[in-house]
Amino acid sequence: MNMSEAKTLKAVIFDLDGVITDTAEYHYRAWNAIAIELGIPFTREFNEHLKGVSRMDSLKLLLSQAATPLDYSTAELEQLADRKNKLYVELIETITPADLLPGVMTFVADIRAAGLATGIASASKNAIAVLTRLDVMDQFDIIVDVTKLTNNKPDPEIFLTAAEQLGAEPSECIGVEDAASGVDAIKAAGMYAVAVGDAVHFPHADIVLPSTAELDFRELAQRFAEK
């Protein structure tokens, strides 16, 4: 890309779970309770496959682990998904600002100090409740309403929606994710992808960092400018 084609960085868009705070344990406990109820084996390893996946798709993945195929009506599936959500909502009542992941709010503060926009693109329907308990709602310009979307990650719709709401072109945005499906969604949207976690899981990311503590705005902005 020559300088005449270079894009200015305008926004950074974040996943919530595993990036701003780690709610994976709460999701695990809630899904595990449903799995025990249904007599389906469920492990922390399998729970990794549910990261970044919608509630209904997660339920279908869970049901696929049953020794004998389970046949539920759409209404019954909705009831199971709703029950899981109620368990999860009870668990997240305990979240406080102490549950923010290391370094992430310093990173967000640096982004905002540079005059850039920030947004949340989470598959969670409880994003506002979690962000409120973390006391960081005012640090994000927009939070995409996932209930109004048609497609789930790895489809880029949620990141494209965030960019549009922030008034930025996708090529002017960085996306930050901790799930492979989320990174794929960022790349499909035409954005610069930052992954947090083990590099082996993120072959398509532009940068992979081992933890949120490694997030450095100046360094990422420089890497973005050089791409």
Side-chain angles (χ1 to χ4, degrees), residues 47-178:
N47 188 59
E48 291 295 309
H49 296 293
L50 309 186
K51 281 189 174 181
V53 179
S54 72
R55 191 183 308 155
M56 188 56 71
D57 287 343
S58 291
L59 175 58
K60 290 174 181 176
L61 282 170
L62 173 62
L63 295 176
S64 74
Q65 299 303 294
T68 304
L70 300 172
D71 187 22
Y72 289 105
S73 67
T74 300
E76 288 170 330
L77 289 172
E78 291 286 354
Q79 288 171 359
L80 283 169
D82 187 56
R83 191 144 73 249
K84 182 269 174 178
N85 187 55
K86 284 186 169 66
L87 290 167
Y88 175 73
V89 169
E90 289 174 9
L91 290 166
I92 63 173
E93 291 288 326
T94 63
I95 287 177
T96 73
D99 293 304
L100 285 160
L101 285 171
V104 71
M105 294 319 294
T106 298
F107 180 58
V108 172
D110 288 345
I111 294 166
R112 296 179 69 81
L116 275 61
T118 54
I120 294 287
S122 170
S124 174
K125 294 178 181 177
N126 298 295
I128 289 176
V130 172
L131 291 165
T132 299
R133 294 197 171 281
L134 292 169
D135 196 23
V136 294
M137 278 285 288
D138 62 345
Q139 296 302 300
F140 299 97
D141 298 299
I142 61 99
I143 299 159
V144 176
D145 183 354
V146 72
T147 64
K148 294 182 178 178
L149 302 182
T150 303
N151 303 301
N152 301 315
K153 300 171 187 177
D155 187 276
E157 182 180 11
I158 192 168
F159 284 100
L160 291 172
T161 301
E164 182 180 4
Q165 291 178 0
L166 291 169
E169 293 294 327
S171 59
E172 299 169 330
C173 300
I174 289 175
V176 186
E177 267 278 1
D178 77 318

Side-chain angles (χ1 to χ4, degrees), residues 1-22:
M1 177 179 288
N2 63 44
M3 292 307 294
S4 64
E5 296 173 320
K7 286 285 187 177
T8 301
L9 179 59
K10 290 188 177 179
V12 182
I13 301 166
F14 297 83
D15 179 36
L16 173 59
D17 298 342
V19 174
I20 305 298
T21 190
D22 191 358

Side-chain angles (χ1 to χ4, degrees), residues 107 110 216-223:
F107 180 58
D110 288 345
D216 183 307
F217 173 64
R218 288 179 182 81
E219 182 179 335
L220 283 181
Q222 182 65 30
R223 295 281 291 272

Side-chain angles (χ1 to χ4, degrees), residues 194-216:
V194 176
V196 178
D198 189 335
V200 72
H201 300 307
F202 304 107
H204 304 138
D206 293 292
I207 298 177
V208 183
L209 301 172
S211 75
T212 55
E214 305 300 317
L215 287 166
D216 183 307

